[in-house]
Every structure is written in structure tokens, then in C-alpha cells.
Amino acid sequence: MTFRFKGAAWPTLAVAGVLALTGCSQGGDGPSASASASSRGSTSSSASSAKGLLTIPGDANEDTRREYVDQNTRAACMRAKGFTYTPHVSQDGDALKGVDGQDYEAAKTFRNKYGFGLYAGAVYRNDPNVWGSEAYNNKDTNPDSAYLKTLTPDQKKAYDAAFGGKKLVGNHKVVLTGCLKEAEDKAYGPEKSQAEIEKKSAEDKERALAAKQALNGDSELVRLAQQFASCLTKDGINVTTTQPTNISDMVKFQVGNQMPPNGILSLSKSEATAKLTHEIDLAKKDLECGKDFRAAYFPKLAKHPFEDVTG
């Protein structure tokens, strides 16, 4: 996932990102860090065209399209400077498609084994495809790892300079350099002033609030959310909200809020197994109770998308 430097509000994430419906961008100061951040612990789309660049999916949304442009520009820029960079876009969302329940059949398969995907990594510790497992945390899927290891210290220094990173200008301004800056500018546009950033943030917040109001005021969703809540109550699950924009993830967040502060790998195998068994039970009940609600909610969410608004 690429590092977005524009200063726009990031999506609100929880439990190390596994609970979010949308991905969060992140970055690093050098090529190894950046490439690893893009693909660590996940499958990825890597170079596929004749020119060694990614083919942008025809159904890609704007954020995804920008991510592809960013990666392709990095690759072209590095090639022009005599280095190799293989563009790659994370596919974490595919691995977790059963979490949110949008696809009922996929969710049923996923939740029967992994619950919400929170404690599973502590049970299936050697599975590199299970979020949070030791194997997941340690695997390196950077397509350029082997290439980077062949570089001499001087070549690596030149590579890092060409790739670029974050640089402090003056006492407080941080700017991007090298191919990172070229890619950032092409994918997201030139860096905006603080005033432009604040204006964009305010506009995004206003749009998000309007989208949430539209969804929470939808009579069909309100009725189905009430039915969802009643079903959960009958199954012995505490209901803390009936808002359409919150109830779909309510049980998932309740489980997430009870996770150990030192991480799931601090649990013994038996402790983790007991936690996962309970999580699976809750996840299955949540899926069945919310089946009708989610079938109506997600198509309407697509028409009124939003990121959580804070502040």
C-alpha cells in the first residue's frame, strides 16, 4: 500500500487494520521499507504488462487507480535511472473478503474457520495467509528482495538516493524526494498548501456526514437494522447500537476491543483456541442475524460511501 503524503484524513482503523473496510496507506524512508509495506503478509498484483508495468483493473475505484499509477511511476522512474523496481499493489482486501459479510457465502466459509479473523493468527501460527500469525508477520513478499541483496553498498546507496524518501526542509516541513516524489505527484497531484489541505478535509468530512445521514435515515435500513438487533439479542449478544452505519461491524468491534494489549501472540495455544472458538460462534451468529440487513446495506453504501468521521 503506498504512502500518501498529501495530508488528507486517513481512514479510521482498528485492531491493526484488520477491522477496517478500507485500506490505509503507509510509507517508509527507503525502497526496502516501502516495497515491504506494500506487500508484506499479503498477496499482490505485480508487473504484468509487456513493459513490466501493472495493468490497471477496469473496475478499479479512484483510490485503487491512483495506487496503480503510483507504483507504475515508481517503476518507470527507477528504470530511467538504471535501477529495477517491480510495481506491486497489495491485495489484502481479497484475503479478508469474508470479514465484513458483504459476500454471504464467502463470509460463511471464512467465519466458520477464522471468525472475524482476529484470534486466528494465534491458533494458525505457521500459516502465512492468516492475519497476525508468526508466519504472516515474518514473510517477505517484496518482489525485489533478491535484486536488492545483489547490490554493493555503493550501488545500494545510489539506489536509495534515486528512490527517494522523506526529507526535512527547514525546521518543520517534510518533503518527498526522488522517484517517490515523482510518483506521488503523478498519482495524487502536487503537494497542497496547508490551507488547501484543511479545505479538502472539511469538504471530505461534510460529504461523509451527508452519506452517513442518508444511510441512517433510510427507512428500509432502519427496519432491517432493528430486526438485526432483535436477532442478536435473542442469541445473547449485547446490542450497543442500531444505527445502520454501525451495526454491521458492532459485534466485530466488541470482540476486537477485548483483545490482549500485548497482542494475540502473547496467548498460549490453548488460550487462543478458546478465544477463537468463542469468536467463531459470535461471528456466525452475527452473519446469520445480519444477512438480510447486509444484503440491503452494502449496495446502498456503494452509492453513499464514507470514511469514519472523527473530531
Side-chain angles (χ1 to χ4, degrees):
M1 297 180 185
T2 54
F3 171 71
R4 292 191 58 177
F5 194 70
K6 296 305 174 208
W10 285 23
T12 300
L13 302 182
V15 194
V18 74
L19 299 182
L21 295 179
T22 56
C24 176
S25 55
Q26 54 187 302
D29 292 336
S32 300
S34 178
S36 180
S38 295
S39 57
R40 181 184 177 121
S42 68
T43 57
S44 64
S45 295
S46 54
S48 58
S49 73
K51 295 181 179 180
L53 302 180
L54 296 171
T55 300
I56 302 177
D59 60 351
N61 61 30
E62 183 62 17
D63 285 341
T64 301
R65 188 193 68 79
R66 291 179 186 274
E67 206 170 349
Y68 275 81
V69 172
D70 178 283
Q71 286 291 319
N72 283 340
T73 305
R74 292 186 191 192
C77 177
M78 290 299 285
R79 181 184 302 162
K81 296 183 178 184
F83 296 104
T84 293
Y85 179 88
T86 305
H88 47 282
V89 173
S90 171
Q91 301 296 312
D92 275 330
D94 290 343
L96 298 173
K97 67 182 299 185
V99 173
D100 62 19
Q102 180 173 359
D103 183 328
Y104 173 78
E105 292 300 333
K108 187 174 183 179
T109 300
F110 183 94
R111 295 188 185 199
N112 280 341
K113 184 174 182 179
Y114 303 116
F116 293 116
L118 301 177
Y119 284 101
V123 175
Y124 304 102
R125 297 187 181 221
N126 296 321
D127 189 335
N129 296 315
V130 177
W131 176 86
S133 70
E134 292 176 353
Y136 178 99
N137 293 336
N138 293 328
K139 75 177 182 178
D140 179 12
T141 54
N142 177 2
D144 292 326
S145 289
Y147 166 73
L148 291 171
K149 291 176 181 177
T150 67
L151 300 180
T152 66
D154 285 343
Q155 289 173 330
K156 183 61 167 56
K157 184 177 180 179
Y159 183 102
D160 290 345
F163 188 84
K166 291 177 284 186
K167 178 180 179 181
L168 182 64
V169 177
N171 295 324
H172 55 81
K173 184 176 177 60
V174 179
V175 299
L176 288 177
T177 63
C179 289
L180 275 181
K181 175 173 173 51
E182 184 173 323
E184 180 79 4
D185 288 348
K186 185 168 183 178
Y188 304 103
E191 183 180 358
K192 295 178 172 59
S193 67
Q194 187 60 34
E196 290 175 314
I197 291 172
E198 292 175 357
K199 180 182 178 182
K200 175 74 162 50
S201 179
E203 291 172 347
D204 288 345
K205 183 174 181 179
E206 185 175 346
R207 278 193 294 270
L209 287 172
K212 293 186 74 172
Q213 288 171 355
L215 293 167
N216 288 329
D218 185 291
S219 59
E220 180 189 22
L221 295 182
V222 170
R223 176 179 60 81
L224 291 172
Q226 291 287 349
Q227 292 179 359
F228 187 177
S230 296
C231 180
L232 291 174
T233 300
K234 289 179 182 178
D235 280 339
I237 298 174
N238 184 38
V239 173
T240 58
T241 180
T242 58
Q243 277 197 326
T245 54
N246 292 328
I247 194 170
S248 185
D249 291 325
M250 182 194 67
V251 179
K252 178 171 59 181
F253 277 100
Q254 287 178 357
V255 176
N257 288 336
Q258 300 300 315
M259 293 179 74
N262 294 326
I264 59 173
L265 297 181
S266 66
L267 300 172
S268 67
K269 183 69 176 291
S270 61
E271 289 174 329
T273 300
K275 294 284 189 182
L276 178 58
T277 300
H278 180 59
E279 179 188 340
I280 289 172
D281 179 61
L282 292 176
K284 290 165 65 176
K285 289 176 178 177
D286 172 74
L287 180 65
E288 295 304 323
C289 284
K291 183 177 180 180
D292 291 341
F293 169 79
R294 292 188 175 99
Y297 177 70
F298 280 103
K300 294 184 179 184
L301 175 62
K303 296 178 180 179
H304 300 282
F306 70 90
E307 290 177 358
D308 283 334
V309 180
T310 59

